[in-house]
Amino acid sequence: MNLRGRSRARRTISAGACVVLVGGSASACFAERSAMPAVRDFLVAWEVGNYKAAAGHTTGTDKAQVEAALGGVRGQLDAAALKLGMIKVVKTGKTATAKFSVKIDLGENGEPWTYTSLMHLLQTGGSWKIRWDPSIIHPLLRSGQRLAVVTQVPSRASIQDQNSRSVLKAVPADLVGVIPGELKDPKATIDQMVKTTKIEGGRRLDGERLLGRVQSAPPQAFLPLLTLQRAGGDTLIERLRRVDGLRFKIVNAPIQPQFAPEVVGELGAATADRLQQVGAPYQPGDTIGVSGLQLLMQRRLAGTPTIEVVAQDPAGSSVTTLHSWPGHDPVPVVTTLDRKIQPRADQALADVKYPASLVVVRPGTGDVLAVANHGTRGRDQAMEGHYPPGMAFSFITADALLQNGVPKDTQADCPASANIGGQTVANPSGKAARTSTLERDFSVSCATTLAQLAAKLPPQALSQSAARFGLGKDWGGLFPSFAGQVPTAANDGQKALVATGQGGVTTSPLAMAAAAAAVSSGTWRPPYITKDPVDTPSAQPQILSPVATGDLKRMVRRSVQSGSAKDANVSSGGQVSGVSTVVSYQEGGQTKYVSWFVGFRDDMAFAIAVEGKVNPAKIAATFLTGTTPSPPSSTKPPQGTNPGTNPGTGPRQPSGGGQNQPGHTTQPTTDPTRPANEPTKH
């Protein structure tokens, strides 16, 4: 259970507000006009917050007590607005009974709390006075009781792998909270807690709303305000222990991803900017998803709370429910991630000294089986990275050639470099190869062969081939991803650059894995990462030409058998096919590298991208065999190294920026995983 923050921005009540009179004319509503002004003036004063004036219209109880009781309603409910409306007054001799309506907005963006109440009046000395009783505030409120709001928040649902097993693990955490009735100065305690606590990006907790939560909570119940992971928050916890009035409870909370943290996401405090993403009914101070599926599926995973307005004595031993709003249960999110494949992907990158990403797709379905990011500082480069593909793009070019009548046994030259339409393209090896066939030149990453042949293609051929493999399309899936960008070549020089993965071509590991999956299965399918809810990308599957795909499969298999990707030719687990290359590019006046392996084996298609010069085929072999990796060479890249001729193309940050690594932060969050049936009251 948890406590709801309310919108205080709307709480300023105009001093000129008027009471709504419900019914017909005054004569039709009131049996005795002389009693009506006292009722009207009392309701107006109460509504606009002039509690002293309202108490002046009462009798039978000390005016200060009445003023405190009326003034406490908003605070006890942490109400956003209070509206009162007179219904009728019935006189009997020197007494009268007035019926009126109450409408209270609890700031939950749902139905307000509405009810009717009564007050009894006495005529004394020619004027009417309201005989005070707590039941005026609500018919069921008794002497010595106060109002409170109890928000029952169910335990957050889990994110699961494809076999419906949770991918979250429990970690030690501290619940930081207060017992409201024991606070000497609630405002001072909250102000000091907010000052001590700093959230990443300069964000801070909303002290005003947290104070509202404290003031509206049952005085004797522990009220959690923050959850801090112990592994990263020990220093902050020690500072918070110096804040007078704060209390601490240690729990084990299932909040840390076991793997694929950029996909699974994090939980964090509901700061104002984050609330713009998730919307109602979540309020500042809540714990919400702040990245990955935790953010995208916030409402599904968290459900919505059950809210009750109660009357209770100060000790909380006698509680009467006055009204309730039922919530909705959380529902798990089932992903396509494979618990057996994901650790192999993580392990394959573990010792790579550069930022690296690996993504695995099932060719027959489009299921994303693994997403691994190593050293990317929370950026999901596997799904959203923008990289020049260089000769990793070669099977797209080969498809364009095969589809346009250039067979795989076409005789072709492979000079060390070639000038085509004013653009110079060089072989990765820097050397020429003997005249041979397209198939053999493809296998050894002969850029000049592909560039020369592609220059003879129709202008749209390369972009059409890329589209068949999903590159540059708007997939329309649930999870953020980059489908690549492939410009249309307007002349021979541009065709030569695009054919060799340059000239403004960028793509992500996910897009390349999906393209490799298309070669494997003969059909391109949009990749997706959730089974429940079912992810339904708008992009439609594309059936490839069986003849061209058959030739292309033989070409990429030869690349692993005896070409530039031969280090990936492991002997176990089936035949491996793919391409391997290292691309150099200019960025900010510096030469940078991205090393690619793109390929498939049986029911797995995968792509590896490393932001440095390594042998990616060896990393592929490590992944395929599942062996403990050794650091790949950074001095002897494979033949696929592409020096590039298009300065300025290279990795870009995915839109939306980075994400924080779960379990490595001292940022505060409110309680994300309260055990079921443990109430939080306020």
Side-chain angles (χ1 to χ4, degrees):
M1 301 207 172
N2 202 352
L3 175 64
R4 314 296 294 173
R6 304 298 196 282
S7 175
R8 293 180 178 267
R10 298 174 289 165
R11 296 182 188 183
T12 302
I13 307 297
S14 170
C18 62
V19 175
V20 179
L21 302 183
V22 181
S25 66
S27 60
C29 292
F30 305 104
E32 176 55 63
R33 287 177 177 271
S34 61
M36 183 268 286
V39 177
R40 178 198 61 203
D41 293 347
F42 172 80
L43 293 177
V44 169
W46 181 11
E47 180 177 303
V48 301
N50 191 346
Y51 306 119
K52 184 175 182 179
H57 293 285
T58 66
T59 186
T61 302
D62 180 73
K63 298 292 191 293
Q65 294 182 27
V66 176
E67 184 179 348
L70 293 174
V73 172
R74 279 194 176 91
Q76 291 168 8
L77 297 177
D78 201 13
L82 170 69
K83 296 292 182 182
L84 304 168
M86 195 185 316
I87 298 176
K88 66 178 180 179
V89 176
V90 177
K91 174 182 173 295
T92 304
K94 292 184 179 294
T95 64
T97 300
K99 185 177 183 181
F100 63 98
S101 65
V102 182
K103 181 178 180 180
I104 302 176
D105 181 0
L106 300 180
E108 297 291 344
N109 296 288
E111 289 294 323
W113 182 28
T114 59
Y115 59 91
T116 59
S117 193
L118 295 173
M119 66 180 79
H120 300 284
L121 295 91
L122 298 173
Q123 190 176 34
T124 60
S127 64
W128 290 93
K129 293 289 185 180
I130 297 160
R131 188 171 61 198
W132 175 253
D133 189 271
S135 64
I136 292 174
I137 295 174
H138 188 279
L140 297 181
L141 190 66
R142 300 292 178 256
S143 179
Q145 290 185 322
R146 56 159 285 169
L147 298 173
V149 176
V150 178
T151 302
Q152 301 180 6
V153 178
S155 296
R156 191 179 182 94
S158 64
I159 297 175
Q160 302 173 350
D161 64 18
Q162 63 176 240
N163 294 318
S164 300
R165 292 178 58 191
S166 176
V167 300
L168 301 174
K169 63 181 178 181
V171 295
D174 279 80
L175 297 186
V176 183
V178 297
I179 296 178
E182 296 182 356
L183 294 178
K184 298 176 183 178
D185 187 341
K187 185 177 187 303
T189 296
I190 296 302
D191 286 348
Q192 187 61 34
M193 184 184 75
V194 171
K195 182 179 179 180
T196 303
T197 303
K198 183 178 180 181
I199 304 174
E200 85 291 343
R203 299 182 178 101
R204 288 193 180 275
L205 300 173
D206 191 322
E208 183 182 4
R209 297 189 186 186
L210 287 175
L211 179 61
R213 296 173 64 178
V214 172
Q215 292 173 334
S216 60
Q220 305 307 319
F222 175 75
L223 175 66
L225 299 176
L226 299 173
T227 297
L228 296 176
Q229 291 187 37
R230 287 210 134 209
D234 292 351
T235 302
L236 176 58
I237 290 170
E238 290 307 313
R239 294 202 306 270
L240 287 171
R241 288 188 184 278
R242 304 188 192 106
V243 177
D244 185 38
L246 291 184
R247 294 206 172 198
F248 300 81
K249 290 186 177 182
I250 300 174
V251 297
N252 277 322
I255 56 180
Q256 190 176 99
Q258 296 179 18
F259 47 70
E262 296 82 8
V263 171
V264 176
E266 290 183 302
L267 298 172
T271 52
D273 56 332
R274 288 168 174 167
L275 285 172
Q276 292 180 359
Q277 294 178 277
V278 300
Y282 311 104
Q283 301 289 343
D286 291 345
T287 291
I288 60 172
V290 298
S291 63
L293 289 171
Q294 293 281 24
L295 170 60
L296 293 173
M297 297 282 102
Q298 163 63 24
R299 188 175 297 272
R300 177 186 176 99
L301 290 165
T304 55
T306 294
I307 302 166
E308 293 181 339
V309 178
V310 302
Q312 64 178 47
D313 60 30
S317 58
S318 177
V319 179
T320 302
T321 300
L322 307 181
H323 193 75
S324 65
W325 294 264
H328 297 91
D329 291 336
V331 180
V333 171
V334 182
T335 71
T336 58
L337 296 175
D338 188 303
R339 189 175 292 272
K340 294 180 180 179
I341 296 176
Q342 179 68 49
R344 288 167 52 186
D346 292 328
Q347 184 186 53
L349 302 182
D351 289 339
V352 178
K353 68 177 183 179
Y354 303 109
S357 302
L358 194 161
V359 62
V360 186
V361 173
R362 177 172 287 129
T365 62
D367 292 13
V368 176
L369 303 177
V371 179
N373 290 282
H374 167 74
T376 61
R377 298 187 178 185
R379 295 174 296 146
D380 190 3
Q381 294 296 84
M383 306 281 279
E384 300 181 75
H386 291 51
Y387 297 110
M391 288 298 287
F393 192 77
S394 61
F395 63 86
I396 306 298
T397 303
D399 174 78
L401 294 170
L402 294 168
Q403 295 274 15
N404 283 272
V406 182
K408 64 184 179 66
D409 57 0
T410 299
Q411 292 293 303
D413 293 332
C414 181
S417 64
N419 187 296
I420 304 165
Q423 297 289 344
T424 299
V425 175
N427 281 337
S429 64
K431 299 178 181 179
R434 61 182 174 81
T435 299
S436 185
T437 63
L438 169 60
E439 179 180 353
R440 182 185 180 281
D441 289 351
F442 175 94
S443 72
V444 296
S445 297
C446 186
T448 55
T449 295
L450 294 185
Q452 291 177 103
L453 293 175
K456 302 175 183 178
L457 292 173
Q460 303 290 331
L462 290 168
S463 57
Q464 289 173 348
S465 179
R468 285 193 291 272
F469 286 87
L471 298 178
K473 285 189 174 183
D474 180 6
W475 297 341
L478 181 151
F479 200 84
S481 60
F482 178 56
Q485 177 178 308
V486 182
T488 299
N491 54 52
D492 290 352
Q494 291 178 11
K495 283 187 281 187
L497 292 178
V498 171
T500 53
Q502 303 171 78
V505 180
T506 54
T507 187
S508 66
L510 176 64
M512 295 305 288
V519 180
S520 175
S521 68
T523 300
W524 177 84
R525 294 175 174 85
Y528 63 95
I529 202 163
T530 63
K531 293 172 60 178
D532 187 9
V534 177
D535 193 357
T536 54
S538 58
Q540 297 300 309
Q542 296 285 324
I543 299 175
L544 306 180
S545 166
V547 175
T549 304
D551 287 344
L552 186 54
K553 289 178 74 171
R554 286 187 286 273
M555 292 168 69
V556 293
R557 171 58 185 156
R558 181 168 180 172
S559 179
V560 172
Q561 281 181 310
S562 58
S564 59
K566 61 184 178 181
D567 285 331
N569 194 27
V570 297
S571 58
S572 60
Q575 291 188 346
V576 183
S577 302
V579 295
S580 181
T581 190
V582 176
V583 185
S584 67
Y585 59 94
Q586 296 295 312
E587 184 177 83
Q590 294 183 334
T591 299
K592 294 188 175 183
Y593 299 92
V594 55
S595 302
W596 284 97
F597 181 90
V598 180
F600 55 88
R601 184 182 71 179
D602 297 333
D603 63 346
M604 291 193 309
F606 61 101
I608 299 168
V610 180
E611 295 180 18
K613 189 188 295 187
V614 300
N615 187 332
K618 286 188 175 181
I619 300 175
T622 299
F623 166 67
L624 292 168
T625 59
T627 57
T628 302
S630 59
S633 170
S634 61
T635 58
K636 294 182 180 180
Q639 281 187 310
T641 304
N642 189 333
T645 58
N646 186 40
T649 61
R652 293 189 287 125
Q653 298 293 330
S655 60
Q659 303 167 352
N660 297 309
Q661 289 283 12
H664 295 81
T665 175
T666 58
Q667 72 181 59
T669 68
T670 46
D671 181 14
T673 52
R674 185 173 314 285
N677 302 320
E678 179 186 335
T680 297
K681 301 178 181 179
H682 72 287

mmCIF file of all heavy atoms in Angstrom, residues 11 55 74 101 135 140 181 185 219 261 284 356 366 379 381 473 475 481 485 492 555:
data_model
loop_
_atom_site.group_PDB
_atom_site.id
_atom_site.type_symbol
_atom_site.label_atom_id
_atom_site.label_comp_id
_atom_site.label_asym_id
_atom_site.label_seq_id
_atom_site.Cartn_x
_atom_site.Cartn_y
_atom_site.Cartn_z
ATOM 1 N N ARG A 11 -5.170 24.207 -5.309
ATOM 2 C CA ARG A 11 -5.859 24.327 -4.033
ATOM 3 C C ARG A 11 -6.167 25.754 -3.621
ATOM 4 O O ARG A 11 -6.748 25.964 -2.575
ATOM 5 C CB ARG A 11 -5.034 23.648 -2.957
ATOM 6 C CG ARG A 11 -4.935 22.187 -3.242
ATOM 7 C CD ARG A 11 -4.174 21.510 -2.182
ATOM 8 N NE ARG A 11 -3.949 20.136 -2.636
ATOM 9 C CZ ARG A 11 -3.359 19.224 -1.960
ATOM 10 N NH1 ARG A 11 -2.917 19.485 -0.762
ATOM 11 N NH2 ARG A 11 -3.180 18.012 -2.434
ATOM 12 N N ALA A 55 -17.074 29.447 12.243
ATOM 13 C CA ALA A 55 -17.287 29.060 13.642
ATOM 14 C C ALA A 55 -18.154 30.071 14.372
ATOM 15 O O ALA A 55 -18.869 29.718 15.320
ATOM 16 C CB ALA A 55 -15.939 28.915 14.340
ATOM 17 N N ARG A 74 -9.541 19.833 4.929
ATOM 18 C CA ARG A 74 -8.689 19.808 3.735
ATOM 19 C C ARG A 74 -7.370 19.099 4.009
ATOM 20 O O ARG A 74 -6.877 18.325 3.189
ATOM 21 C CB ARG A 74 -8.433 21.232 3.233
ATOM 22 C CG ARG A 74 -9.571 21.813 2.406
ATOM 23 C CD ARG A 74 -9.096 23.066 1.663
ATOM 24 N NE ARG A 74 -10.122 23.600 0.796
ATOM 25 C CZ ARG A 74 -11.020 24.514 1.161
ATOM 26 N NH1 ARG A 74 -11.000 24.971 2.408
ATOM 27 N NH2 ARG A 74 -11.915 24.962 0.317
ATOM 28 N N SER A 101 -25.084 19.863 0.387
ATOM 29 C CA SER A 101 -24.253 18.913 -0.366
ATOM 30 C C SER A 101 -22.781 19.242 -0.184
ATOM 31 O O SER A 101 -22.405 20.401 0.009
ATOM 32 C CB SER A 101 -24.607 18.951 -1.851
ATOM 33 O OG SER A 101 -24.275 20.215 -2.410
ATOM 34 N N SER A 135 -20.694 15.577 13.078
ATOM 35 C CA SER A 135 -21.464 14.967 11.993
ATOM 36 C C SER A 135 -21.820 15.969 10.906
ATOM 37 O O SER A 135 -22.257 15.582 9.818
ATOM 38 C CB SER A 135 -22.739 14.318 12.537
ATOM 39 O OG SER A 135 -23.596 15.303 13.095
ATOM 40 N N LEU A 140 -21.315 10.356 9.463
ATOM 41 C CA LEU A 140 -20.787 9.245 10.255
ATOM 42 C C LEU A 140 -19.586 9.628 11.116
ATOM 43 O O LEU A 140 -19.036 8.777 11.825
ATOM 44 C CB LEU A 140 -20.392 8.080 9.328
ATOM 45 C CG LEU A 140 -21.525 7.442 8.527
ATOM 46 C CD1 LEU A 140 -20.997 6.288 7.678
ATOM 47 C CD2 LEU A 140 -22.640 6.954 9.446
ATOM 48 N N GLY A 181 2.421 11.309 13.838
ATOM 49 C CA GLY A 181 2.051 11.839 15.146
ATOM 50 C C GLY A 181 3.228 12.111 16.055
ATOM 51 O O GLY A 181 3.084 12.808 17.070
ATOM 52 N N ASP A 185 7.952 18.871 14.220
ATOM 53 C CA ASP A 185 7.735 19.889 13.190
ATOM 54 C C ASP A 185 7.746 19.188 11.834
ATOM 55 O O ASP A 185 8.804 19.038 11.216
ATOM 56 C CB ASP A 185 8.826 20.953 13.256
ATOM 57 C CG ASP A 185 8.567 22.125 12.316
ATOM 58 O OD1 ASP A 185 7.761 21.967 11.376
ATOM 59 O OD2 ASP A 185 9.187 23.195 12.520
ATOM 60 N N PRO A 219 -1.950 9.266 12.468
ATOM 61 C CA PRO A 219 -0.823 9.734 13.281
ATOM 62 C C PRO A 219 0.120 8.638 13.759
ATOM 63 O O PRO A 219 1.319 8.872 13.889
ATOM 64 C CB PRO A 219 -1.505 10.426 14.470
ATOM 65 C CG PRO A 219 -2.868 10.788 13.967
ATOM 66 C CD PRO A 219 -3.246 9.705 13.016
ATOM 67 N N PRO A 261 18.977 -4.856 -18.524
ATOM 68 C CA PRO A 261 18.410 -3.752 -17.741
ATOM 69 C C PRO A 261 17.868 -2.616 -18.594
ATOM 70 O O PRO A 261 16.916 -1.945 -18.190
ATOM 71 C CB PRO A 261 19.586 -3.284 -16.873
ATOM 72 C CG PRO A 261 20.812 -3.745 -17.607
ATOM 73 C CD PRO A 261 20.420 -5.036 -18.258
ATOM 74 N N PRO A 284 3.250 12.985 -7.634
ATOM 75 C CA PRO A 284 4.595 13.161 -7.082
ATOM 76 C C PRO A 284 4.747 12.421 -5.756
ATOM 77 O O PRO A 284 3.882 12.482 -4.892
ATOM 78 C CB PRO A 284 4.703 14.675 -6.903
ATOM 79 C CG PRO A 284 3.817 15.221 -7.973
ATOM 80 C CD PRO A 284 2.646 14.274 -8.043
ATOM 81 N N ALA A 356 29.845 -2.237 -26.268
ATOM 82 C CA ALA A 356 29.454 -3.274 -27.225
ATOM 83 C C ALA A 356 28.009 -3.679 -26.999
ATOM 84 O O ALA A 356 27.488 -3.594 -25.878
ATOM 85 C CB ALA A 356 30.369 -4.499 -27.088
ATOM 86 N N GLY A 366 10.314 -13.364 -35.349
ATOM 87 C CA GLY A 366 10.653 -11.981 -35.032
ATOM 88 C C GLY A 366 10.852 -11.746 -33.546
ATOM 89 O O GLY A 366 11.143 -10.617 -33.128
ATOM 90 N N ARG A 379 22.750 3.245 -22.149
ATOM 91 C CA ARG A 379 22.160 3.451 -23.480
ATOM 92 C C ARG A 379 21.833 2.099 -24.097
ATOM 93 O O ARG A 379 22.646 1.182 -24.077
ATOM 94 C CB ARG A 379 23.134 4.203 -24.389
ATOM 95 C CG ARG A 379 23.458 5.627 -23.952
ATOM 96 C CD ARG A 379 24.544 6.231 -24.834
ATOM 97 N NE ARG A 379 25.796 5.506 -24.703
ATOM 98 C CZ ARG A 379 26.663 5.329 -25.691
ATOM 99 N NH1 ARG A 379 26.384 5.777 -26.911
ATOM 100 N NH2 ARG A 379 27.789 4.680 -25.490
ATOM 101 N N GLN A 381 22.040 0.611 -26.931
ATOM 102 C CA GLN A 381 22.603 0.650 -28.272
ATOM 103 C C GLN A 381 22.201 -0.567 -29.096
ATOM 104 O O GLN A 381 22.178 -0.512 -30.326
ATOM 105 C CB GLN A 381 24.125 0.752 -28.198
ATOM 106 C CG GLN A 381 24.626 2.065 -27.595
ATOM 107 C CD GLN A 381 24.262 3.256 -28.451
ATOM 108 O OE1 GLN A 381 23.143 3.791 -28.358
ATOM 109 N NE2 GLN A 381 25.171 3.685 -29.290
ATOM 110 N N LYS A 473 12.455 1.420 -42.420
ATOM 111 C CA LYS A 473 10.998 1.416 -42.264
ATOM 112 C C LYS A 473 10.605 1.922 -40.880
ATOM 113 O O LYS A 473 11.399 1.897 -39.940
ATOM 114 C CB LYS A 473 10.452 0.000 -42.448
ATOM 115 C CG LYS A 473 10.410 -0.494 -43.872
ATOM 116 C CD LYS A 473 9.653 -1.817 -43.942
ATOM 117 C CE LYS A 473 9.449 -2.280 -45.372
ATOM 118 N NZ LYS A 473 8.655 -3.523 -45.439
ATOM 119 N N TRP A 475 8.727 0.609 -38.104
ATOM 120 C CA TRP A 475 8.171 -0.671 -37.685
ATOM 121 C C TRP A 475 6.897 -0.511 -36.863
ATOM 122 O O TRP A 475 6.012 -1.362 -36.889
ATOM 123 C CB TRP A 475 9.194 -1.446 -36.860
ATOM 124 C CG TRP A 475 10.420 -1.808 -37.618
ATOM 125 C CD1 TRP A 475 10.559 -1.848 -38.978
ATOM 126 C CD2 TRP A 475 11.690 -2.181 -37.073
ATOM 127 N NE1 TRP A 475 11.839 -2.229 -39.316
ATOM 128 C CE2 TRP A 475 12.551 -2.434 -38.165
ATOM 129 C CE3 TRP A 475 12.173 -2.320 -35.790
ATOM 130 C CZ2 TRP A 475 13.871 -2.823 -37.988
ATOM 131 C CZ3 TRP A 475 13.488 -2.704 -35.611
ATOM 132 C CH2 TRP A 475 14.329 -2.963 -36.693
ATOM 133 N N SER A 481 13.081 1.604 -30.897
ATOM 134 C CA SER A 481 14.134 0.960 -31.680
ATOM 135 C C SER A 481 14.448 1.830 -32.884
ATOM 136 O O SER A 481 13.674 2.722 -33.238
ATOM 137 C CB SER A 481 13.697 -0.441 -32.136
ATOM 138 O OG SER A 481 12.540 -0.368 -32.946
ATOM 139 N N GLN A 485 18.573 3.898 -41.554
ATOM 140 C CA GLN A 485 18.352 4.957 -42.541
ATOM 141 C C GLN A 485 19.193 4.654 -43.769
ATOM 142 O O GLN A 485 20.406 4.484 -43.677
ATOM 143 C CB GLN A 485 18.743 6.308 -41.948
ATOM 144 C CG GLN A 485 18.631 7.472 -42.918
ATOM 145 C CD GLN A 485 18.986 8.788 -42.236
ATOM 146 O OE1 GLN A 485 18.458 9.117 -41.194
ATOM 147 N NE2 GLN A 485 19.919 9.514 -42.837
ATOM 148 N N ASP A 492 26.013 7.485 -59.661
ATOM 149 C CA ASP A 492 26.857 6.303 -59.520
ATOM 150 C C ASP A 492 27.734 6.374 -58.272
ATOM 151 O O ASP A 492 27.945 5.361 -57.588
ATOM 152 C CB ASP A 492 27.738 6.140 -60.759
ATOM 153 C CG ASP A 492 26.940 5.731 -61.990
ATOM 154 O OD1 ASP A 492 25.732 5.431 -61.824
ATOM 155 O OD2 ASP A 492 27.514 5.725 -63.097
ATOM 156 N N MET A 555 26.133 -17.467 -50.227
ATOM 157 C CA MET A 555 27.198 -16.468 -50.194
ATOM 158 C C MET A 555 27.607 -16.125 -48.758
ATOM 159 O O MET A 555 28.800 -16.048 -48.443
ATOM 160 C CB MET A 555 26.747 -15.204 -50.936
ATOM 161 C CG MET A 555 26.587 -15.421 -52.451
ATOM 162 S SD MET A 555 25.726 -14.073 -53.308
ATOM 163 C CE MET A 555 26.927 -12.759 -53.173
#
